[in-house]
Amino acid sequence: SQQGEEDPQALSIQEGENATMNCSYKTSINNLQWYRQNSGRGLVHLILIRSNEREKHSGRLRVTLDTSKKSSSLLITASRAADTASYFCATDAQQAGTALIFGKGTTLSVSS
Amino acid sequence: DVKVTQSSRYLVKRTGEKVFLECVQDMDHENMFWYRQDPGLGLRLIYFSYDVKMKEKGDIPEGYSVSREKKERFSLILESASTNQTSMYLCATKAGVHGYTFGSGTRLTVV
């Protein structure tokens, strides 16, 4: 079951621009997480936002969460070529003994 | 930092072979997971385990089994490999309420 759905599927921007990716999900969550994947590699955890939080920052990353709309956004400011990667949102359900459910991801391409 | 090691980066196996994908973590994490990743489908959960000898089916367990005899090792087994199991396999571990730590992945090709 796919819980998170990212939008857009692909995004191409220039260095220095901001990149915004959106994620929608279906059921109640305990937290929502964003991950990054460089081509052909494993995923790297970027940031976690709890269901009672509305916004969180980490360096050039800003994540928002709207539980009433069941949506989240990831903003990367002042993008660099090194930010080129796929980005996934993942939801952690409220019940114990469950696993993260990932969306299909947004592929970000940053050109210099 | 937690390290999650998957034994092979690339693997080519023949149809019908029994395939073992190994995953080892260097911390005392209870929760371990196996996902497969396919273009356009994202990550899909195959199996996970929250303790030694415990296992739970994920969304797509058919054709797979798992083994967790020791806390640090979680093995994914393809009983009889088929071409539709050609995929990227990702192992992950989790501690507490933090995010997952993933291995580098095993790209399996079944011919």
Side-chain angles (χ1 to χ4, degrees), chain B residues 10-41:
Chain B
Y10 299 95
L11 213 50
V12 180
K13 296 291 181 181
R14 295 198 179 276
T15 302
E17 273 194 78
K18 190 168 186 176
V19 181
F20 293 85
L21 302 183
E22 304 289 347
C23 176
V24 178
Q25 52 142 331
D26 66 355
M27 295 294 287
D28 205 29
H29 291 177
E30 293 175 342
N31 299 286
M32 296 186 76
F33 310 86
W34 275 107
Y35 290 87
R36 67 175 278 178
Q37 183 178 21
D38 301 286
L41 296 178

PDB file of all heavy atoms in Angstrom, chain B residues 10-41:
ATOM      1  N   TYR B  10      25.985  -6.017  -6.459  1.00  0.00           N
ATOM      2  CA  TYR B  10      25.379  -6.538  -7.680  1.00  0.00           C
ATOM      3  C   TYR B  10      25.378  -8.060  -7.619  1.00  0.00           C
ATOM      4  O   TYR B  10      26.341  -8.668  -7.147  1.00  0.00           O
ATOM      5  CB  TYR B  10      26.151  -6.087  -8.923  1.00  0.00           C
ATOM      6  CG  TYR B  10      26.203  -4.593  -9.101  1.00  0.00           C
ATOM      7  CD1 TYR B  10      27.287  -3.856  -8.628  1.00  0.00           C
ATOM      8  CD2 TYR B  10      25.158  -3.907  -9.722  1.00  0.00           C
ATOM      9  CE1 TYR B  10      27.326  -2.481  -8.772  1.00  0.00           C
ATOM     10  CE2 TYR B  10      25.200  -2.525  -9.870  1.00  0.00           C
ATOM     11  CZ  TYR B  10      26.281  -1.827  -9.397  1.00  0.00           C
ATOM     12  OH  TYR B  10      26.319  -0.468  -9.543  1.00  0.00           O
ATOM     13  N   LEU B  11      24.280  -8.631  -8.101  1.00  0.00           N
ATOM     14  CA  LEU B  11      24.143 -10.082  -8.070  1.00  0.00           C
ATOM     15  C   LEU B  11      23.391 -10.523  -9.314  1.00  0.00           C
ATOM     16  O   LEU B  11      22.379  -9.906  -9.676  1.00  0.00           O
ATOM     17  CB  LEU B  11      23.343 -10.467  -6.819  1.00  0.00           C
ATOM     18  CG  LEU B  11      23.610 -11.764  -6.079  1.00  0.00           C
ATOM     19  CD1 LEU B  11      25.091 -11.945  -5.776  1.00  0.00           C
ATOM     20  CD2 LEU B  11      22.810 -11.776  -4.785  1.00  0.00           C
ATOM     21  N   VAL B  12      23.882 -11.572  -9.971  1.00  0.00           N
ATOM     22  CA  VAL B  12      23.176 -12.140 -11.116  1.00  0.00           C
ATOM     23  C   VAL B  12      22.911 -13.602 -10.806  1.00  0.00           C
ATOM     24  O   VAL B  12      23.846 -14.355 -10.491  1.00  0.00           O
ATOM     25  CB  VAL B  12      23.999 -12.017 -12.416  1.00  0.00           C
ATOM     26  CG1 VAL B  12      23.221 -12.630 -13.584  1.00  0.00           C
ATOM     27  CG2 VAL B  12      24.323 -10.558 -12.708  1.00  0.00           C
ATOM     28  N   LYS B  13      21.655 -13.991 -10.865  1.00  0.00           N
ATOM     29  CA  LYS B  13      21.264 -15.359 -10.555  1.00  0.00           C
ATOM     30  C   LYS B  13      20.378 -15.909 -11.668  1.00  0.00           C
ATOM     31  O   LYS B  13      19.768 -15.152 -12.431  1.00  0.00           O
ATOM     32  CB  LYS B  13      20.505 -15.413  -9.231  1.00  0.00           C
ATOM     33  CG  LYS B  13      21.347 -15.009  -8.034  1.00  0.00           C
ATOM     34  CD  LYS B  13      22.414 -16.031  -7.739  1.00  0.00           C
ATOM     35  CE  LYS B  13      23.244 -15.654  -6.522  1.00  0.00           C
ATOM     36  NZ  LYS B  13      24.314 -16.669  -6.260  1.00  0.00           N
ATOM     37  N   ARG B  14      20.313 -17.228 -11.707  1.00  0.00           N
ATOM     38  CA  ARG B  14      19.490 -17.884 -12.732  1.00  0.00           C
ATOM     39  C   ARG B  14      18.091 -18.176 -12.178  1.00  0.00           C
ATOM     40  O   ARG B  14      17.905 -18.380 -10.975  1.00  0.00           O
ATOM     41  CB  ARG B  14      20.140 -19.179 -13.173  1.00  0.00           C
ATOM     42  CG  ARG B  14      21.465 -18.975 -13.882  1.00  0.00           C
ATOM     43  CD  ARG B  14      21.872 -20.200 -14.683  1.00  0.00           C
ATOM     44  NE  ARG B  14      23.126 -19.979 -15.375  1.00  0.00           N
ATOM     45  CZ  ARG B  14      23.213 -19.366 -16.550  1.00  0.00           C
ATOM     46  NH1 ARG B  14      22.133 -18.923 -17.145  1.00  0.00           N
ATOM     47  NH2 ARG B  14      24.382 -19.209 -17.123  1.00  0.00           N
ATOM     48  N   THR B  15      17.139 -18.194 -13.070  1.00  0.00           N
ATOM     49  CA  THR B  15      15.765 -18.550 -12.714  1.00  0.00           C
ATOM     50  C   THR B  15      15.742 -19.900 -12.011  1.00  0.00           C
ATOM     51  O   THR B  15      16.397 -20.849 -12.449  1.00  0.00           O
ATOM     52  CB  THR B  15      14.889 -18.621 -13.980  1.00  0.00           C
ATOM     53  OG1 THR B  15      14.935 -17.354 -14.636  1.00  0.00           O
ATOM     54  CG2 THR B  15      13.452 -18.934 -13.618  1.00  0.00           C
ATOM     55  N   GLY B  16      15.014 -19.949 -10.892  1.00  0.00           N
ATOM     56  CA  GLY B  16      14.884 -21.183 -10.143  1.00  0.00           C
ATOM     57  C   GLY B  16      15.896 -21.352  -9.019  1.00  0.00           C
ATOM     58  O   GLY B  16      15.727 -22.221  -8.149  1.00  0.00           O
ATOM     59  N   GLU B  17      16.940 -20.543  -9.021  1.00  0.00           N
ATOM     60  CA  GLU B  17      17.944 -20.630  -7.963  1.00  0.00           C
ATOM     61  C   GLU B  17      17.382 -20.122  -6.644  1.00  0.00           C
ATOM     62  O   GLU B  17      16.498 -19.258  -6.612  1.00  0.00           O
ATOM     63  CB  GLU B  17      19.154 -19.765  -8.317  1.00  0.00           C
ATOM     64  CG  GLU B  17      20.199 -20.451  -9.162  1.00  0.00           C
ATOM     65  CD  GLU B  17      21.505 -19.657  -9.195  1.00  0.00           C
ATOM     66  OE1 GLU B  17      22.266 -19.731  -8.209  1.00  0.00           O
ATOM     67  OE2 GLU B  17      21.738 -18.974 -10.199  1.00  0.00           O
ATOM     68  N   LYS B  18      17.915 -20.623  -5.547  1.00  0.00           N
ATOM     69  CA  LYS B  18      17.603 -20.086  -4.227  1.00  0.00           C
ATOM     70  C   LYS B  18      18.634 -19.003  -3.943  1.00  0.00           C
ATOM     71  O   LYS B  18      19.834 -19.239  -4.049  1.00  0.00           O
ATOM     72  CB  LYS B  18      17.670 -21.188  -3.177  1.00  0.00           C
ATOM     73  CG  LYS B  18      17.124 -20.778  -1.818  1.00  0.00           C
ATOM     74  CD  LYS B  18      16.949 -21.987  -0.905  1.00  0.00           C
ATOM     75  CE  LYS B  18      16.270 -21.613   0.401  1.00  0.00           C
ATOM     76  NZ  LYS B  18      16.001 -22.788   1.260  1.00  0.00           N
ATOM     77  N   VAL B  19      18.142 -17.825  -3.589  1.00  0.00           N
ATOM     78  CA  VAL B  19      19.022 -16.667  -3.445  1.00  0.00           C
ATOM     79  C   VAL B  19      18.935 -16.139  -2.012  1.00  0.00           C
ATOM     80  O   VAL B  19      17.845 -16.000  -1.460  1.00  0.00           O
ATOM     81  CB  VAL B  19      18.629 -15.553  -4.435  1.00  0.00           C
ATOM     82  CG1 VAL B  19      19.575 -14.356  -4.292  1.00  0.00           C
ATOM     83  CG2 VAL B  19      18.636 -16.067  -5.867  1.00  0.00           C
ATOM     84  N   PHE B  20      20.077 -15.848  -1.454  1.00  0.00           N
ATOM     85  CA  PHE B  20      20.158 -15.278  -0.110  1.00  0.00           C
ATOM     86  C   PHE B  20      20.735 -13.866  -0.205  1.00  0.00           C
ATOM     87  O   PHE B  20      21.823 -13.664  -0.733  1.00  0.00           O
ATOM     88  CB  PHE B  20      21.069 -16.125   0.787  1.00  0.00           C
ATOM     89  CG  PHE B  20      20.530 -17.491   1.085  1.00  0.00           C
ATOM     90  CD1 PHE B  20      20.742 -18.539   0.205  1.00  0.00           C
ATOM     91  CD2 PHE B  20      19.817 -17.735   2.256  1.00  0.00           C
ATOM     92  CE1 PHE B  20      20.248 -19.814   0.484  1.00  0.00           C
ATOM     93  CE2 PHE B  20      19.324 -18.996   2.539  1.00  0.00           C
ATOM     94  CZ  PHE B  20      19.535 -20.041   1.651  1.00  0.00           C
ATOM     95  N   LEU B  21      20.005 -12.904   0.312  1.00  0.00           N
ATOM     96  CA  LEU B  21      20.516 -11.545   0.428  1.00  0.00           C
ATOM     97  C   LEU B  21      20.732 -11.269   1.907  1.00  0.00           C
ATOM     98  O   LEU B  21      19.816 -11.399   2.721  1.00  0.00           O
ATOM     99  CB  LEU B  21      19.523 -10.534  -0.162  1.00  0.00           C
ATOM    100  CG  LEU B  21      19.149 -10.734  -1.626  1.00  0.00           C
ATOM    101  CD1 LEU B  21      18.221  -9.612  -2.086  1.00  0.00           C
ATOM    102  CD2 LEU B  21      20.377 -10.796  -2.514  1.00  0.00           C
ATOM    103  N   GLU B  22      21.965 -10.877   2.221  1.00  0.00           N
ATOM    104  CA  GLU B  22      22.323 -10.721   3.629  1.00  0.00           C
ATOM    105  C   GLU B  22      22.401  -9.247   4.012  1.00  0.00           C
ATOM    106  O   GLU B  22      22.862  -8.402   3.230  1.00  0.00           O
ATOM    107  CB  GLU B  22      23.681 -11.377   3.905  1.00  0.00           C
ATOM    108  CG  GLU B  22      23.767 -12.841   3.517  1.00  0.00           C
ATOM    109  CD  GLU B  22      22.971 -13.730   4.433  1.00  0.00           C
ATOM    110  OE1 GLU B  22      22.546 -13.280   5.519  1.00  0.00           O
ATOM    111  OE2 GLU B  22      22.766 -14.908   4.073  1.00  0.00           O
ATOM    112  N   CYS B  23      22.003  -8.967   5.224  1.00  0.00           N
ATOM    113  CA  CYS B  23      22.061  -7.606   5.756  1.00  0.00           C
ATOM    114  C   CYS B  23      22.536  -7.673   7.194  1.00  0.00           C
ATOM    115  O   CYS B  23      21.976  -8.433   7.997  1.00  0.00           O
ATOM    116  CB  CYS B  23      20.682  -6.953   5.677  1.00  0.00           C
ATOM    117  SG  CYS B  23      20.608  -5.308   6.403  1.00  0.00           S
ATOM    118  N   VAL B  24      23.552  -6.891   7.503  1.00  0.00           N
ATOM    119  CA  VAL B  24      24.117  -6.897   8.853  1.00  0.00           C
ATOM    120  C   VAL B  24      24.202  -5.459   9.361  1.00  0.00           C
ATOM    121  O   VAL B  24      24.629  -4.566   8.643  1.00  0.00           O
ATOM    122  CB  VAL B  24      25.537  -7.528   8.852  1.00  0.00           C
ATOM    123  CG1 VAL B  24      26.137  -7.480  10.248  1.00  0.00           C
ATOM    124  CG2 VAL B  24      25.480  -8.957   8.351  1.00  0.00           C
ATOM    125  N   GLN B  25      23.799  -5.255  10.603  1.00  0.00           N
ATOM    126  CA  GLN B  25      23.915  -3.934  11.239  1.00  0.00           C
ATOM    127  C   GLN B  25      24.905  -4.032  12.387  1.00  0.00           C
ATOM    128  O   GLN B  25      25.061  -5.090  13.007  1.00  0.00           O
ATOM    129  CB  GLN B  25      22.554  -3.488  11.772  1.00  0.00           C
ATOM    130  CG  GLN B  25      21.874  -4.514  12.657  1.00  0.00           C
ATOM    131  CD  GLN B  25      21.134  -3.939  13.840  1.00  0.00           C
ATOM    132  OE1 GLN B  25      21.500  -2.891  14.365  1.00  0.00           O
ATOM    133  NE2 GLN B  25      20.094  -4.636  14.270  1.00  0.00           N
ATOM    134  N   ASP B  26      25.561  -2.909  12.662  1.00  0.00           N
ATOM    135  CA  ASP B  26      26.600  -2.936  13.684  1.00  0.00           C
ATOM    136  C   ASP B  26      26.143  -2.329  15.017  1.00  0.00           C
ATOM    137  O   ASP B  26      26.952  -2.092  15.899  1.00  0.00           O
ATOM    138  CB  ASP B  26      27.875  -2.269  13.177  1.00  0.00           C
ATOM    139  CG  ASP B  26      27.685  -0.776  12.944  1.00  0.00           C
ATOM    140  OD1 ASP B  26      26.552  -0.275  13.080  1.00  0.00           O
ATOM    141  OD2 ASP B  26      28.674  -0.115  12.596  1.00  0.00           O
ATOM    142  N   MET B  27      24.860  -2.042  15.135  1.00  0.00           N
ATOM    143  CA  MET B  27      24.310  -1.544  16.395  1.00  0.00           C
ATOM    144  C   MET B  27      23.308  -2.559  16.938  1.00  0.00           C
ATOM    145  O   MET B  27      23.028  -3.557  16.308  1.00  0.00           O
ATOM    146  CB  MET B  27      23.623  -0.190  16.182  1.00  0.00           C
ATOM    147  CG  MET B  27      24.579   0.897  15.775  1.00  0.00           C
ATOM    148  SD  MET B  27      25.765   1.328  17.062  1.00  0.00           S
ATOM    149  CE  MET B  27      24.705   2.215  18.199  1.00  0.00           C
ATOM    150  N   ASP B  28      22.735  -2.281  18.047  1.00  0.00           N
ATOM    151  CA  ASP B  28      21.845  -3.222  18.722  1.00  0.00           C
ATOM    152  C   ASP B  28      20.379  -2.928  18.392  1.00  0.00           C
ATOM    153  O   ASP B  28      19.511  -3.035  19.254  1.00  0.00           O
ATOM    154  CB  ASP B  28      22.081  -3.129  20.226  1.00  0.00           C
ATOM    155  CG  ASP B  28      21.696  -4.425  20.943  1.00  0.00           C
ATOM    156  OD1 ASP B  28      21.773  -5.496  20.329  1.00  0.00           O
ATOM    157  OD2 ASP B  28      21.304  -4.334  22.130  1.00  0.00           O
ATOM    158  N   HIS B  29      20.100  -2.597  17.129  1.00  0.00           N
ATOM    159  CA  HIS B  29      18.748  -2.209  16.759  1.00  0.00           C
ATOM    160  C   HIS B  29      17.839  -3.408  16.655  1.00  0.00           C
ATOM    161  O   HIS B  29      18.201  -4.438  16.097  1.00  0.00           O
ATOM    162  CB  HIS B  29      18.770  -1.460  15.424  1.00  0.00           C
ATOM    163  CG  HIS B  29      19.416  -0.127  15.522  1.00  0.00           C
ATOM    164  ND1 HIS B  29      19.601   0.688  14.431  1.00  0.00           N
ATOM    165  CD2 HIS B  29      19.924   0.555  16.579  1.00  0.00           C
ATOM    166  CE1 HIS B  29      20.197   1.799  14.815  1.00  0.00           C
ATOM    167  NE2 HIS B  29      20.402   1.746  16.106  1.00  0.00           N
ATOM    168  N   GLU B  30      16.653  -3.256  17.174  1.00  0.00           N
ATOM    169  CA  GLU B  30      15.702  -4.365  17.152  1.00  0.00           C
ATOM    170  C   GLU B  30      14.975  -4.485  15.808  1.00  0.00           C
ATOM    171  O   GLU B  30      14.649  -5.573  15.374  1.00  0.00           O
ATOM    172  CB  GLU B  30      14.679  -4.185  18.278  1.00  0.00           C
ATOM    173  CG  GLU B  30      15.318  -4.322  19.659  1.00  0.00           C
ATOM    174  CD  GLU B  30      14.355  -4.027  20.783  1.00  0.00           C
ATOM    175  OE1 GLU B  30      13.315  -3.397  20.518  1.00  0.00           O
ATOM    176  OE2 GLU B  30      14.644  -4.408  21.917  1.00  0.00           O
ATOM    177  N   ASN B  31      14.708  -3.363  15.185  1.00  0.00           N
ATOM    178  CA  ASN B  31      13.877  -3.358  13.983  1.00  0.00           C
ATOM    179  C   ASN B  31      14.717  -3.384  12.713  1.00  0.00           C
ATOM    180  O   ASN B  31      15.615  -2.564  12.542  1.00  0.00           O
ATOM    181  CB  ASN B  31      13.002  -2.111  13.957  1.00  0.00           C
ATOM    182  CG  ASN B  31      12.070  -2.053  15.145  1.00  0.00           C
ATOM    183  OD1 ASN B  31      11.082  -2.781  15.200  1.00  0.00           O
ATOM    184  ND2 ASN B  31      12.379  -1.214  16.099  1.00  0.00           N
ATOM    185  N   MET B  32      14.399  -4.324  11.837  1.00  0.00           N
ATOM    186  CA  MET B  32      15.068  -4.400  10.544  1.00  0.00           C
ATOM    187  C   MET B  32      14.041  -4.647   9.456  1.00  0.00           C
ATOM    188  O   MET B  32      13.009  -5.271   9.703  1.00  0.00           O
ATOM    189  CB  MET B  32      16.146  -5.497  10.540  1.00  0.00           C
ATOM    190  CG  MET B  32      17.275  -5.212  11.527  1.00  0.00           C
ATOM    191  SD  MET B  32      18.644  -6.372  11.422  1.00  0.00           S
ATOM    192  CE  MET B  32      19.473  -5.801   9.928  1.00  0.00           C
ATOM    193  N   PHE B  33      14.356  -4.177   8.247  1.00  0.00           N
ATOM    194  CA  PHE B  33      13.372  -4.152   7.171  1.00  0.00           C
ATOM    195  C   PHE B  33      14.012  -4.535   5.845  1.00  0.00           C
ATOM    196  O   PHE B  33      15.180  -4.230   5.593  1.00  0.00           O
ATOM    197  CB  PHE B  33      12.795  -2.740   7.022  1.00  0.00           C
ATOM    198  CG  PHE B  33      12.312  -2.145   8.316  1.00  0.00           C
ATOM    199  CD1 PHE B  33      13.190  -1.479   9.161  1.00  0.00           C
ATOM    200  CD2 PHE B  33      10.988  -2.238   8.691  1.00  0.00           C
ATOM    201  CE1 PHE B  33      12.758  -0.939  10.360  1.00  0.00           C
ATOM    202  CE2 PHE B  33      10.534  -1.700   9.884  1.00  0.00           C
ATOM    203  CZ  PHE B  33      11.422  -1.050  10.724  1.00  0.00           C
ATOM    204  N   TRP B  34      13.203  -5.138   4.985  1.00  0.00           N
ATOM    205  CA  TRP B  34      13.596  -5.368   3.592  1.00  0.00           C
ATOM    206  C   TRP B  34      12.565  -4.717   2.675  1.00  0.00           C
ATOM    207  O   TRP B  34      11.361  -4.979   2.780  1.00  0.00           O
ATOM    208  CB  TRP B  34      13.678  -6.854   3.266  1.00  0.00           C
ATOM    209  CG  TRP B  34      14.984  -7.481   3.618  1.00  0.00           C
ATOM    210  CD1 TRP B  34      15.250  -8.330   4.652  1.00  0.00           C
ATOM    211  CD2 TRP B  34      16.218  -7.324   2.914  1.00  0.00           C
ATOM    212  NE1 TRP B  34      16.568  -8.699   4.652  1.00  0.00           N
ATOM    213  CE2 TRP B  34      17.195  -8.100   3.591  1.00  0.00           C
ATOM    214  CE3 TRP B  34      16.614  -6.603   1.770  1.00  0.00           C
ATOM    215  CZ2 TRP B  34      18.516  -8.182   3.175  1.00  0.00           C
ATOM    216  CZ3 TRP B  34      17.924  -6.684   1.357  1.00  0.00           C
ATOM    217  CH2 TRP B  34      18.867  -7.472   2.051  1.00  0.00           C
ATOM    218  N   TYR B  35      13.075  -3.874   1.758  1.00  0.00           N
ATOM    219  CA  TYR B  35      12.254  -3.252   0.728  1.00  0.00           C
ATOM    220  C   TYR B  35      12.819  -3.643  -0.641  1.00  0.00           C
ATOM    221  O   TYR B  35      13.998  -3.920  -0.786  1.00  0.00           O
ATOM    222  CB  TYR B  35      12.310  -1.725   0.831  1.00  0.00           C
ATOM    223  CG  TYR B  35      11.616  -1.116   2.025  1.00  0.00           C
ATOM    224  CD1 TYR B  35      12.290  -0.971   3.247  1.00  0.00           C
ATOM    225  CD2 TYR B  35      10.308  -0.650   1.936  1.00  0.00           C
ATOM    226  CE1 TYR B  35      11.662  -0.396   4.345  1.00  0.00           C
ATOM    227  CE2 TYR B  35       9.675  -0.065   3.031  1.00  0.00           C
ATOM    228  CZ  TYR B  35      10.356   0.055   4.226  1.00  0.00           C
ATOM    229  OH  TYR B  35       9.734   0.632   5.309  1.00  0.00           O
ATOM    230  N   ARG B  36      11.954  -3.593  -1.626  1.00  0.00           N
ATOM    231  CA  ARG B  36      12.446  -3.630  -2.996  1.00  0.00           C
ATOM    232  C   ARG B  36      12.027  -2.344  -3.683  1.00  0.00           C
ATOM    233  O   ARG B  36      10.971  -1.762  -3.353  1.00  0.00           O
ATOM    234  CB  ARG B  36      11.973  -4.863  -3.770  1.00  0.00           C
ATOM    235  CG  ARG B  36      10.523  -4.956  -4.072  1.00  0.00           C
ATOM    236  CD  ARG B  36      10.211  -6.182  -4.945  1.00  0.00           C
ATOM    237  NE  ARG B  36      10.466  -5.940  -6.367  1.00  0.00           N
ATOM    238  CZ  ARG B  36      10.315  -6.848  -7.332  1.00  0.00           C
ATOM    239  NH1 ARG B  36       9.903  -8.067  -7.019  1.00  0.00           N
ATOM    240  NH2 ARG B  36      10.562  -6.555  -8.593  1.00  0.00           N
ATOM    241  N   GLN B  37      12.872  -1.903  -4.611  1.00  0.00           N
ATOM    242  CA  GLN B  37      12.635  -0.636  -5.298  1.00  0.00           C
ATOM    243  C   GLN B  37      12.646  -0.873  -6.793  1.00  0.00           C
ATOM    244  O   GLN B  37      13.613  -1.410  -7.340  1.00  0.00           O
ATOM    245  CB  GLN B  37      13.710   0.388  -4.922  1.00  0.00           C
ATOM    246  CG  GLN B  37      13.480   1.745  -5.558  1.00  0.00           C
ATOM    247  CD  GLN B  37      14.524   2.753  -5.141  1.00  0.00           C
ATOM    248  OE1 GLN B  37      15.610   2.410  -4.700  1.00  0.00           O
ATOM    249  NE2 GLN B  37      14.187   4.037  -5.255  1.00  0.00           N
ATOM    250  N   ASP B  38      11.578  -0.462  -7.443  1.00  0.00           N
ATOM    251  CA  ASP B  38      11.438  -0.614  -8.886  1.00  0.00           C
ATOM    252  C   ASP B  38      11.047   0.725  -9.488  1.00  0.00           C
ATOM    253  O   ASP B  38      10.296   1.491  -8.870  1.00  0.00           O
ATOM    254  CB  ASP B  38      10.377  -1.665  -9.210  1.00  0.00           C
ATOM    255  CG  ASP B  38      10.719  -3.026  -8.619  1.00  0.00           C
ATOM    256  OD1 ASP B  38      11.618  -3.669  -9.167  1.00  0.00           O
ATOM    257  OD2 ASP B  38      10.112  -3.422  -7.606  1.00  0.00           O
ATOM    258  N   PRO B  39      11.519   1.004 -10.699  1.00  0.00           N
ATOM    259  CA  PRO B  39      11.200   2.288 -11.357  1.00  0.00           C
ATOM    260  C   PRO B  39       9.687   2.504 -11.439  1.00  0.00           C
ATOM    261  O   PRO B  39       8.942   1.618 -11.850  1.00  0.00           O
ATOM    262  CB  PRO B  39      11.820   2.118 -12.744  1.00  0.00           C
ATOM    263  CG  PRO B  39      12.896   1.112 -12.563  1.00  0.00           C
ATOM    264  CD  PRO B  39      12.406   0.164 -11.521  1.00  0.00           C
ATOM    265  N   GLY B  40       9.267   3.678 -11.029  1.00  0.00           N
ATOM    266  CA  GLY B  40       7.853   4.023 -11.100  1.00  0.00           C
ATOM    267  C   GLY B  40       6.998   3.468  -9.979  1.00  0.00           C
ATOM    268  O   GLY B  40       5.831   3.837  -9.840  1.00  0.00           O
ATOM    269  N   LEU B  41       7.585   2.595  -9.162  1.00  0.00           N
ATOM    270  CA  LEU B  41       6.805   1.977  -8.076  1.00  0.00           C
ATOM    271  C   LEU B  41       7.308   2.396  -6.696  1.00  0.00           C
ATOM    272  O   LEU B  41       6.671   2.087  -5.682  1.00  0.00           O
ATOM    273  CB  LEU B  41       6.840   0.454  -8.185  1.00  0.00           C
ATOM    274  CG  LEU B  41       6.193  -0.135  -9.436  1.00  0.00           C
ATOM    275  CD1 LEU B  41       6.345  -1.651  -9.454  1.00  0.00           C
ATOM    276  CD2 LEU B  41       4.716   0.246  -9.521  1.00  0.00           C
TER     277      LEU B  41
END
